[in-house]
Amino acid sequence: MTLSWQIAAEKQLEMVLRAVEQLANFPEMGRLGRVDGTRELVIQGTPYIAAYRLKGATVRVLALIHGARRWPKKL
């Protein structure tokens, strides 16, 4: 029997993965980051923000951070 929290977690994971996968085609879709040299993608429908860095055509996701948490000084 699947528990409701498992279903909710799977939905959140799907939303995060779908949003982050879009960065391959639209790497600058996120806002400028709070940490120098980074960008932030707000994951719609979730409380999460993906912090990432662009280097040429490469997108490197550095962290997935809950919006209510204190933002790290370094990534």
Side-chain angles (χ1 to χ4, degrees):
M1 181 168 139
T2 304
L3 302 175
S4 62
W5 64 267
Q6 289 175 311
I7 294 169
E10 288 172 5
K11 276 185 167 179
Q12 295 252 318
L13 178 59
E14 286 176 29
M15 288 189 273
V16 168
L17 292 175
R18 200 172 316 124
V20 169
E21 286 171 353
Q22 290 181 17
L23 291 173
N25 294 317
F26 306 102
E28 294 185 3
M29 68 188 272
R31 65 188 182 202
L32 291 177
R34 292 167 240 200
V35 176
D36 265 355
T38 66
R39 298 188 73 85
E40 298 173 10
L41 178 64
V42 176
I43 312 295
Q44 296 298 317
T46 77
Y48 297 104
I49 301 170
Y52 66 99
R53 184 170 281 133
L54 297 176
K55 190 161 191 172
T58 303
V59 176
R60 182 174 178 209
V61 176
L62 305 171
L64 184 65
I65 302 169
H66 192 285
R69 296 202 47 142
R70 182 176 296 158
W71 204 261
K73 294 181 188 212
K74 294 181 183 180
L75 289 171

